[in-house]
Amino acid sequence: MKERPESGEMKRKVAEHPCFSPETQHLFGRLHLPVAPSCNIQCNYCDRKYDCVNESRPGVTSEVLSPPDALKRTDEILKQNPYIKVVGIAGPGDPLDNDETFETFRLVREKYPDATFCVSTNGLLLSDRFEELAAAGVETLTVTMNADDPDIQKKIIGGIYYKGKRYKGREAAEILIENQLKGIQKAVEAGMTVKINTVLIPGVNDKHIIELARKMNEMGVYIMNIMPLISQAAFKEITPPTDQERKAVQDACAPYVKQMRHCRQCRSDAYGLIGKDLSVERKKREQEFKKL
């Protein structure tokens, strides 16, 4: 496995990030601010239409916040939960497709200069907006990349919207992959700690993921998170992988990229420790209050 030297500051940031460090996931928390509703890709496994307090999956949020409201929520949550060290934006759309992402980070940074900023993106605009992302102080980055083969990627996305034009099929897949790889390379070279999220889709990319892991190793990616498909949207008829099938793919990829095995596929408004999402408790309290 290709190892990238880590500075003392990088090691500290990784240690305090519950998604990047399984060893300290029970000590430090993260706060997701749902300020980014717009998305430029239609993934065949994505459905953002529903919000249930019992749901824990990417793209779900009880509300979309404005940047000023996001700062107010940050004030409230960090005051109550000082163990939260990471402030991230992960949707409910794609953060880089929303200018509110950068305004939110600006406001939060002014008040919390020591917070670790994190973004989770599909990567379509990562190369184009990388300088803005770096200027915002983002230090940890997650890119959802499900294939680096256009013939596989075209099966996973319904289309993309890029620079004012819609693309479908192989052309869309080629543009997406090219932009993802360019953006990941920029991030690694800039010293960001990069995580790759990959959705394991039986019969689509399950045999390909090891090739993707090899590529990510060559590029200097820090960690890879192989997530099981949630059967919904256009992929609602596909049976999700079993835990054993997912573990087999993780084990096959582990020689190339460190594997994140503690992911809970959290909501875009999640906060607290991994596996103990306080946003769900907050929503339940609000519902109970309305009944009074």
Side-chain angles (χ1 to χ4, degrees):
M1 185 188 299
K2 181 178 179 181
E3 297 288 346
R4 184 160 60 97
E6 296 181 14
S7 66
E9 181 65 11
M10 181 184 292
K11 289 180 179 179
R12 183 182 72 81
K13 296 293 185 182
V14 168
E16 292 181 351
H17 197 310
C19 299
F20 286 74
S21 176
E23 293 81 13
T24 58
Q25 61 169 306
H26 303 299
L27 300 176
F28 300 109
R30 81 292 189 226
L31 163 62
H32 286 175
L33 297 172
V35 299
S38 176
C39 194
N40 45 21
I41 293 181
Q42 178 55 59
C43 296
N44 289 330
Y45 53 73
C46 182
D47 188 342
R48 297 184 288 135
K49 293 187 295 185
Y50 304 103
D51 172 31
C52 170
V53 294
N54 296 314
E55 283 186 297
S56 181
R57 61 179 174 85
V60 173
T61 183
S62 296
E63 60 181 329
V64 174
L65 301 177
S66 68
D69 285 339
L71 178 60
K72 292 178 183 177
R73 179 166 294 185
T74 301
D75 289 337
E76 172 193 342
I77 290 174
L78 295 190
K79 182 178 180 180
Q80 296 174 351
N81 307 278
Y83 61 88
I84 292 177
K85 303 297 183 181
V86 178
V87 177
I89 299 177
D94 186 76
L96 302 188
D97 198 37
N98 296 263
D99 291 337
E100 290 84 354
T101 293
F102 302 97
E103 175 62 12
T104 299
F105 279 144
R106 184 187 68 80
L107 292 174
V108 175
R109 178 63 78 201
E110 288 178 354
K111 196 164 186 179
Y112 301 95
D114 295 329
T116 296
F117 283 175
C118 187
V119 159
S120 180
T121 175
N122 59 42
L124 180 61
L125 293 177
L126 180 54
S127 180
D128 295 347
R129 305 199 74 172
F130 181 76
E131 284 69 26
E132 294 175 83
L133 198 66
V138 172
E139 297 162 293
T140 55
L141 175 72
T142 294
V143 182
T144 296
M145 189 169 191
N146 298 311
D148 64 350
D149 181 335
D151 289 324
I152 296 175
Q153 182 70 278
K154 71 180 183 181
K155 299 175 184 178
I156 300 173
I157 57 173
I160 67 172
Y161 186 77
Y162 183 60
K163 293 187 175 180
K165 185 177 178 181
R166 297 187 183 279
Y167 298 88
K168 292 185 176 182
R170 200 176 197 279
E171 186 177 19
E174 289 175 344
I175 293 171
L176 175 58
I177 292 170
E178 180 181 4
N179 288 6
Q180 288 174 324
L181 294 177
K182 284 182 179 179
I184 292 168
Q185 192 63 54
K186 286 183 179 181
V188 171
E189 290 176 354
M192 289 185 186
T193 305
V194 180
K195 174 164 69 74
I196 298 299
N197 278 357
T198 301
V199 180
L200 173 56
I201 310 166
V204 179
N205 70 344
D206 49 336
K207 306 300 182 185
H208 170 72
I209 292 178
I210 189 171
E211 299 299 328
L212 181 62
R214 291 192 182 105
K215 180 67 175 179
M216 294 302 100
N217 172 53
E218 293 173 4
M219 298 185 73
V221 164
Y222 178 77
I223 194 169
M224 185 180 198
N225 175 26
I226 299 173
M227 306 182 298
L229 172 73
I230 298 173
S231 299
Q232 58 186 11
F235 282 169
K236 63 183 179 182
E237 302 300 329
I238 297 180
T239 302
T242 65
D243 291 342
Q244 292 77 13
E245 289 170 336
R246 178 184 174 215
K247 183 179 183 301
V249 177
Q250 289 173 323
D251 290 346
C253 294
Y256 305 101
V257 184
K258 180 179 181 180
Q259 295 294 301
M260 177 185 179
R261 299 176 188 258
H262 60 286
C263 177
R264 296 295 180 269
Q265 293 181 280
C266 52
R267 297 161 55 105
S268 57
D269 60 358
Y271 68 93
L273 299 172
I274 290 181
K276 296 182 180 180
D277 184 358
L278 298 179
S279 69
V280 174
E281 296 180 15
R282 178 192 185 108
K283 181 69 173 179
K284 289 180 178 179
R285 289 197 305 268
E286 290 174 351
Q287 290 183 347
E288 290 300 318
F289 181 77
K290 289 178 181 179
K291 295 178 182 178
L292 299 179

